[in-house]
Amino acid sequence: MTSTATTEPTTTEPTTPTAPDASRHVVVDPAILYFGTPVVLLSSTNEDGTTNLMPMSSVFWLGRSAVIGIGARSQTARNLRRHPEVVLNLASPDVVEHVDRLALTTGRADVSPWKARAGYVYAPDKFAVAGLTPLESATVRPQRVAECQVHLEAVVRRVHPLGGPADAGPGTGDAARQLAVEAEVTRVWVDPAIRLAGHADRIDPDLWRPLVMSFQRFYGLGGQVHPSRLAGIDEDRYREPRTSAPR
């Protein structure tokens, strides 16, 4: 006959997290600080009325405003000074090959020496080069990119010079190396495939997967890594009064 021994349940004492080793960090001096941001194709209007596409990954959003970082000598900078309207076409991993075809192109016929040495070439028709399809916009002149799942039409409100002389102020143009462009979003288009079920105006973050660039390389997002306390706040509480009527 076999007897069955019983054991008392054990209790586990809570553990104290180990403090990080302060000596593990080292000082470095990277040439770029692209730790990971969404990839966007910026649409702007050329002198002849056609649309220029600029692949970039320096962008963030606050409320209804987008802040976009671009080179001060780029064709996009020229276009936005002359015609301050833009479309932010947000890329996803399924269009990465199209985005990469634009990586070494410029909309300026006078290719700068730096870009020429880096392998850039002048491309007046970026849609053709990338194999992308133009769509007409509703509130701005530049065309949208059909293959992107998200289109944000926007009007430029302010342009701030960055990286120039200490006394460089607004309107100094090419005195700055980069520009921070503040744009107000006037219309949002999305692929219905990424809408949150049961909500007309929300995006499902489990269905929307932005293309991300980190230190010149393309990446996609994985699944959610941890629940967020912020997700307990109703999204509509963030809706801000518009500074202008929707168009």
Side-chain angles (χ1 to χ4, degrees):
M1 180 175 176
T2 303
S3 61
T4 303
T6 59
T7 58
E8 293 295 326
T10 58
T11 58
T12 303
E13 293 296 327
T15 58
T16 302
T18 304
D21 181 2
S23 64
R24 67 176 178 167
H25 295 87
V26 297
V27 175
V28 297
D29 185 22
I32 57 176
L33 297 175
Y34 285 87
F35 284 92
T37 44
V39 175
V40 176
L41 295 178
L42 286 184
S43 300
S44 61
T45 304
N46 291 317
E47 292 91 335
D48 61 1
T50 60
T51 295
N52 180 63
L53 292 179
M54 175 186 185
M56 51 81 71
S57 59
S58 299
V59 61
F60 68 91
W61 290 266
L62 288 171
R64 300 290 299 186
S65 294
V67 179
I68 309 161
I70 60 174
R73 295 192 70 255
S74 66
Q75 180 66 20
T76 298
R78 277 183 165 182
N79 289 347
L80 296 185
R81 290 189 187 104
R82 183 185 60 258
H83 195 84
E85 296 181 346
V86 66
V87 180
L88 294 85
N89 303 280
L90 277 63
S92 50
D94 58 331
V95 297
V96 64
E97 292 185 10
H98 300 275
V99 174
D100 197 43
R101 292 173 194 168
L102 296 174
L104 296 179
T105 64
T106 175
R108 287 189 64 154
D110 55 336
V111 183
S112 71
W114 186 95
K115 285 191 172 183
R117 289 192 297 270
Y120 281 74
V121 296
Y122 170 54
D125 188 347
K126 300 284 192 71
F127 281 98
V129 169
L132 295 170
T133 309
L135 291 175
E136 295 304 313
S137 298
T139 65
V140 296
R141 187 180 302 179
Q143 294 171 307
R144 297 177 285 137
V145 178
E147 288 76 8
C148 290
Q149 288 187 296
V150 180
H151 312 144
L152 306 177
E153 300 179 10
V155 175
V156 174
R157 297 303 186 195
R158 297 175 185 83
V159 177
H160 308 273
L162 299 174
D167 59 350
T172 54
D174 288 346
R177 291 187 294 273
Q178 295 93 27
L179 302 175
V181 179
E182 179 185 340
E184 180 186 354
V185 175
T186 56
R187 183 66 57 89
V188 179
W189 302 83
V190 301
D191 186 328
I194 65 171
R195 290 171 69 180
L196 182 63
H199 296 271
D201 298 314
R202 298 191 187 183
I203 309 303
D204 189 333
D206 288 323
L207 298 177
W208 164 237
R209 286 289 181 262
L211 181 65
V212 173
M213 174 159 281
S214 179
F215 290 98
Q216 298 178 281
R217 291 168 174 81
F218 292 115
Y219 296 90
L221 290 185
Q224 182 179 193
V225 298
H226 192 278
S228 168
R229 295 180 183 180
L230 286 177
I233 302 174
D234 189 283
E235 187 174 315
D236 282 330
R237 291 178 64 90
Y238 292 101
R239 192 177 297 279
E240 297 179 349
R242 298 178 184 269
T243 57
S244 59
R247 294 191 283 173

